[in-house]
Amino acid sequence: ASDVYKRQYKRRNYDGTTLDTPFFHMLFEPLLPCLRPLLTLIFAIRWQLSRPLQTYIFPKFCSCRGVPIIGDFVDLTLGQVLLVTPLIGLLFGGYRTTFVYPDPSDSGWFAAYSMYAVFLTANKTNSIFAFVLGIPFERMIPYHKLAALNTIILFCLHAYSVYMDEEGESEEFDDDGGLGDDRRLGSGDEDSGGGGGGGGDSNRLEISEFLFGETPNRSGALMAISVVVLVITSIFPVFRRQLFEVWLIIHIPAAICVIIFGYLHEVTSLLFIGGWWAVDVLMRYLVMANCRYPRQARLELVTRDVVKVSFDKPSSFSYNAGQFVQIAFPDIGCLEFHPISISSAPHESEITLH
């Protein structure tokens, strides 16, 4: 039996690695047999280069390892620090172009770069981090959240920079480095309303007009609101766990709004970054789940709490022992895909899950 198995199935190193990016896997599938030696070499080099990045920053005998919160930082690896460094650099750049050397244009680009990081870390299957660095999606989720929070901060800094620039177009700083009173309240030729309360109302009205009055500012404000919606609905895990499909229905349209408003805000390069995220979403939910792979399976109750799921193996379906699939059960949720290990051997004609 072992000889038959060896003849029918021969395990190849990195045989399923190209599925990290299904878009390119399906696009170049006819050429994969010819490209396999080159891809195997690339993946082997990637693995060798990534091993030093797993080195802990702090020694394992550090006494703070069991301390809540602090202990999590003790387990930081060199690779994790390198991944966070660009986000810290963007935050520093946004602060510098807002307060040290004010430049609304440059502060806007720092916010845009942070938004790029949000979309690049959101790809579940067609992830450049998985393909280039070998980091799976589930390990990129913390960086995705951190990039989103970083983007909101940079959006606020950019809005403040633009606001101060527009307020001071025709005025100069005071000798003490502050702004004149008329510039702070935006009085100019308008009637400030006399009393302090009227000045406050005028100031609030001016901020509202600043955010939603002119087209560039309005698109930027709407883009920032879309990001805030994404973060608020994602920051609490219970919302995703209990109402996953509701969260997904909110998350995807809000992300699309970010791309549209970003384009209207003249961040045209966001179309390419967001477009790659859209390719990933369409590839998973439309091509893979509804077109390429089976949509019907046989169910068998094995024990009181174990169900066997089986379906015929498609010709385009290949896997290695120990790998898993993402499967959705309509009675649980049509868009809620669960990772389940494949219990059948790769050479069998029927695929089974338990």
Side-chain angles (χ1 to χ4, degrees), residues 69-88:
I69 300 178
I70 298 178
D72 296 335
F73 291 96
V74 175
D75 289 328
L76 284 176
T77 63
L78 180 60
Q80 291 173 327
V81 173
L82 290 178
L83 282 175
V84 172
T85 299
L87 296 179
I88 297 176

Side-chain angles (χ1 to χ4, degrees), residues 213-241:
E214 300 179 1
T215 300
N217 294 0
R218 182 167 57 247
S219 59
L222 292 174
M223 180 168 62
I225 291 173
S226 301
V227 176
V228 171
V229 170
L230 291 172
V231 172
I232 290 178
T233 56
S234 303
I235 197 170
F236 302 106
V238 64
F239 186 72
R240 300 194 310 274
R241 293 171 182 172

Side-chain angles (χ1 to χ4, degrees), residues 1-9:
S2 61
D3 293 338
V4 173
Y5 171 77
K6 290 179 180 178
R7 286 196 299 269
Q8 290 182 347
Y9 175 77

Side-chain angles (χ1 to χ4, degrees), residues 60-287:
K60 291 186 177 181
F61 57 80
C62 184
S63 59
C64 298
R65 190 168 298 277
V67 179
I69 300 178
I70 298 178
D72 296 335
F73 291 96
V74 175
D75 289 328
L76 284 176
T77 63
L78 180 60
Q80 291 173 327
V81 173
L82 290 178
L83 282 175
V84 172
T85 299
L87 296 179
I88 297 176
L90 291 175
L91 193 61
F92 175 78
Y95 175 84
R96 185 175 182 271
T97 53
T98 301
F99 298 107
V100 182
Y101 300 103
D103 189 324
S105 178
D106 288 348
S107 67
W109 279 114
F110 281 111
Y113 293 148
S114 185
M115 177 56 62
Y116 296 166
V118 174
F119 278 98
L120 290 176
T121 53
N123 287 14
K124 191 169 185 178
T125 52
N126 296 285
S127 170
I128 62 171
F129 294 97
F131 189 81
V132 177
L133 302 176
I135 306 176
F137 168 75
E138 58 271 14
R139 296 191 64 183
M140 291 305 302
I141 293 177
Y143 304 101
H144 177 64
K145 295 179 180 179
L146 187 60
L149 293 174
N150 201 56
T151 300
I152 291 179
I153 296 174
L154 289 171
F155 274 172
C156 293
L157 293 178
H158 173 57
Y160 178 81
S161 177
V162 174
Y163 176 75
M164 298 305 293
D165 182 71
E166 291 186 1
E167 283 286 296
E169 281 183 353
S170 59
E171 300 187 33
E172 297 179 357
F173 284 96
D174 294 338
D175 294 337
D176 60 354
L179 300 175
D181 291 340
D182 56 339
R183 179 178 166 187
R184 289 192 186 96
L185 298 179
S187 56
D189 297 332
E190 298 179 359
D191 186 7
S192 62
D201 293 340
S202 176
N203 189 34
R204 285 195 295 271
L205 179 62
E206 183 178 334
I207 293 177
S208 175
E209 292 178 351
F210 162 75
L211 291 176
F212 301 102
E214 300 179 1
T215 300
N217 294 0
R218 182 167 57 247
S219 59
L222 292 174
M223 180 168 62
I225 291 173
S226 301
V227 176
V228 171
V229 170
L230 291 172
V231 172
I232 290 178
T233 56
S234 303
I235 197 170
F236 302 106
V238 64
F239 186 72
R240 300 194 310 274
R241 293 171 182 172
Q242 302 299 328
L243 301 170
F244 176 81
E245 290 197 353
V246 175
W247 169 82
L248 189 64
I249 292 173
I250 295 175
H251 209 71
I252 292 180
I256 294 175
C257 288
V258 172
I259 298 174
I260 295 175
F261 293 136
Y263 175 77
L264 295 177
H265 200 62
E266 299 183 358
V267 189
T268 54
S269 50
L270 186 60
L271 287 177
F272 301 98
I273 306 296
W276 181 245
W277 165 81
V279 166
D280 176 53
V281 173
L282 293 175
M283 181 65 64
R284 287 189 285 119
Y285 288 103
L286 182 62
V287 178

Side-chain angles (χ1 to χ4, degrees), residues 298 308-314 317-319 325 342-345 348-353:
R298 298 175 289 275
K308 176 184 177 182
V309 181
S310 60
F311 55 91
D312 296 332
K313 181 180 179 181
F317 195 100
S318 62
Y319 63 96
V325 294
I342 302 174
S343 53
S344 56
E348 297 182 37
S349 59
E350 183 183 70
I351 295 177
T352 60
L353 316 170

